[in-house]
Amino acid sequence: MSQDILVVQNSEGIFDIQFENGDLKGDPGLTTAVNVSLFTDSRAPSDIVSLPENQRGWMGNLVSTVIGRELGGLVWLTDQRRLTQDTLNDSIDYSNKALQWMVTDGLLTSIDVTGEIIPRLGVQLKIILVAVNGITETRYFKLWEA
């Protein structure tokens, strides 16, 4: 089975590939898949962001081999919003949609995204991933400082 290249977030919040002994480090799990799915910007639809130049999107989605599937998600749409219940709900919804491909492709049996607003800090997501072998992983992500 092939592995993704390991992509993790550093202490400054930047996502970067990892090296080990001068070579690219592989990801034996789903760390890279989750990070890329959540934090790669997919293109916003025009009914949400009207100006095409502000809709973002990853250019690799133009040549996707799976018709209708875009890498990434719309979590980025919440980064400039006030910390309200609607912002939290949208962050959870966008995260669920960004990760759903892993269930569709049979990598996971289920995904459960919940979250909370942490006053003066931002939104924290809790993501529970249930693999096909029954192993459950829980991940936490802090989004956008207030």
Side-chain angles (χ1 to χ4, degrees), residues 10-125:
N10 67 22
S11 60
E12 288 91 36
I14 307 288
F15 287 90
D16 204 355
I17 58 175
Q18 302 300 296
F19 291 91
E20 183 174 62
N21 300 322
D23 200 3
L24 293 170
K25 187 172 183 176
D27 178 4
L30 295 174
T31 299
T32 296
V34 170
N35 288 341
V36 170
S37 295
L38 289 174
F39 300 111
T40 297
D41 299 349
S42 64
R43 190 160 181 83
S46 59
D47 62 329
I48 295 176
V49 178
S50 58
L51 294 174
E53 61 269 21
N54 293 340
Q55 292 173 341
R56 294 192 189 181
W58 183 61
M59 62 187 272
N61 284 332
L62 296 173
V63 293
S64 174
T65 58
V66 180
I67 295 173
R69 178 179 289 173
E70 286 195 0
L71 177 68
L74 297 173
V75 177
W76 65 270
L77 288 170
T78 65
D79 71 348
Q80 296 293 312
R81 291 172 47 183
R82 297 175 73 70
L83 291 178
T84 65
Q85 187 63 45
D86 285 342
T87 300
L88 175 62
N89 294 344
D90 286 345
S91 297
I92 291 168
D93 182 52
Y94 293 149
S95 297
N96 265 312
K97 288 176 181 172
L99 298 167
Q100 190 58 44
W101 71 269
M102 289 188 266
V103 173
T104 301
D105 285 9
L107 298 173
L108 300 172
T109 58
S110 67
I111 298 166
D112 182 39
V113 181
T114 58
E116 64 179 320
I117 295 172
I118 301 174
R120 296 180 301 283
L121 290 179
V123 169
Q124 178 171 288
L125 297 178

